[in-house]
Amino acid sequence: MPNKIKPYLFVAPSIIIFLLFFIYPILYMLNLSFHDWNFISPDMKFVGLDNFSKLFADRTFKKVVQNTLVYTIGQVGITAILALVIAVVLNHNTRIHKFVQSAIFSPHIISLVSVAMLWNWLLDPDYGFINYMLSWFNIDPINWLGDQKTALFSLIMVQVWKSLGYNVIIYLSGLQAIPKEIYEAAELDRGSQWSIFTKITLPMLSPTIFFVIIMNIMSSFKVFETVQIMTAGGPVNATNTLVYYLYEQGFVHFNMGYASAAGVILFLILAIVTIFYFRLLNKRVHYK
């Protein structure tokens, strides 16, 4: 067998899997977005751009896009900043710090369904533990998941709690990779803790911050389980997100063409956000 062919044979399984499970579904979804199909009948009716025109005229879809963007900004922003602060505090090689690191990471390994059920109880307006604690300060019970003003924030809080530990560990790995000699030199120059953090830690940690933010953006746009289990998109579509909306249209109302059009929009939004993020922040990342 010629040596030139061997490398292609080694990568062939990965390429085949990528084409079958990534590229083909995207192309099939794009094709469906131009058709009217109820998921049951074998016949698909070509409707052109009608599905997209209906989407852009749908107030519910506009609300869904707004919810998704608010959820993404809130979840990514809070998680990235809070995880960084905790990682800096826990960046010590002691038993107590290691124990706290393990405790913070533990929610990440719990099933998301279990997490959603747990927080359903904690946020219950009548018997929830959070409202019970608020009663100590004479604060009236809050309908966290039933009020459109607090429902989306509650989902953001749940996801931050679930993903915080994982991001802390990622930050800690980045912090521990920074050479200690740099900090020793800064201390000899009598640099303040704030100047050391802003001029050494943040620039050296920028590749890790870049990774954490982009991964959380991808994850937040795909939120589904917490929405389905905790609120089912309500109240008044206050927590309805793009993926859940796509699921409702396709597998509840059996409007696969319309759902595929929403999927195309989601794909385009993710592509635009990712390209913008890479162009904006990639130049600010210090890899050396």
Side-chain angles (χ1 to χ4, degrees):
M1 182 182 296
N3 292 330
K4 293 182 179 180
I5 300 178
K6 286 183 179 180
Y8 296 99
L9 293 178
F10 283 118
V11 301
S14 298
I15 294 176
I16 293 172
I17 292 174
F18 180 75
L19 292 174
L20 286 177
F21 295 99
F22 291 91
I23 301 301
Y24 174 73
I26 291 174
L27 295 177
Y28 190 71
M29 177 183 67
L30 181 62
N31 177 58
L32 278 180
S33 67
F34 299 113
H35 292 80
D36 183 14
W37 184 41
N38 63 6
F39 196 60
I40 299 174
S41 172
D43 299 325
M44 292 190 296
K45 179 183 178 182
F46 182 78
V47 294
L49 297 175
D50 284 356
N51 287 324
F52 292 95
S53 61
K54 291 178 182 178
L55 271 178
F56 292 122
D58 189 356
R59 293 183 179 180
T60 302
F61 180 72
K62 295 176 182 179
K63 177 67 174 177
V64 165
V65 174
Q66 178 184 338
N67 291 342
T68 305
L69 293 176
V70 171
Y71 178 90
T72 299
I73 294 172
Q75 190 267 324
V76 174
I78 295 173
T79 302
I81 296 173
L82 188 58
L84 177 59
V85 173
I86 295 174
V88 171
V89 174
L90 295 180
N91 189 26
H92 299 281
N93 193 22
T94 64
R95 289 184 178 180
I96 185 64
H97 285 91
K98 290 182 178 180
F99 173 77
V100 176
Q101 291 171 20
S102 302
I104 290 178
F105 182 76
S106 59
H108 177 70
I109 63 178
I110 302 174
S111 167
L112 189 55
V113 175
S114 301
V115 169
M117 296 299 292
L118 171 65
W119 278 91
N120 262 338
W121 170 74
L122 291 173
L123 297 172
D124 187 273
D126 299 318
Y127 308 103
F129 185 70
I130 293 180
N131 277 339
Y132 174 70
M133 288 192 299
L134 292 178
S135 67
W136 299 346
F137 306 97
N138 295 322
I139 299 177
D140 294 332
I142 299 174
N143 190 2
W144 295 98
L145 300 175
D147 190 339
Q148 58 181 324
K149 296 180 180 179
T150 58
L152 189 60
F153 169 76
S154 300
L155 294 188
I156 293 173
M157 181 171 59
V158 172
Q159 187 58 40
V160 168
W161 181 84
K162 176 75 167 62
S163 61
L164 186 64
Y166 173 79
N167 291 283
V168 168
I169 297 300
I170 297 297
Y171 276 135
L172 281 171
S173 64
L175 288 169
Q176 293 171 5
I178 300 175
K180 295 181 180 179
E181 294 80 5
I182 299 178
Y183 289 113
E184 293 173 355
E187 290 176 358
L188 289 174
D189 290 338
R190 297 181 179 180
S192 65
Q193 292 296 322
W194 178 249
S195 63
I196 291 174
F197 177 75
T198 55
K199 296 181 180 180
I200 296 178
T201 303
L202 281 181
M204 297 293 289
L205 197 63
S206 57
T208 306
I209 298 174
F210 183 82
F211 171 79
V212 166
I213 293 177
I214 194 65
M215 294 304 295
N216 276 280
I217 288 175
M218 297 298 176
S219 175
S220 62
F221 268 100
K222 297 185 296 182
V223 62
F224 173 75
E225 293 92 337
T226 50
V227 175
Q228 183 187 33
I229 297 171
M230 300 185 69
T231 61
V236 198
N237 289 309
T239 61
N240 200 346
T241 57
L242 274 169
V243 174
Y244 187 77
Y245 181 79
L246 191 155
Y247 158 78
E248 275 191 322
Q249 294 299 323
F251 297 99
V252 177
H253 304 301
F254 298 104
N255 195 350
M256 292 302 297
Y258 194 76
S260 298
V264 172
I265 299 300
L266 173 61
F267 177 80
L268 292 176
I269 291 175
L270 274 174
I272 293 171
V273 169
T274 303
I275 293 172
F276 175 78
Y277 178 74
F278 270 83
R279 288 184 176 273
L280 178 66
L281 296 182
N282 199 31
K283 296 178 180 180
R284 300 176 180 271
V285 175
H286 301 270
Y287 290 101
K288 293 184 180 180

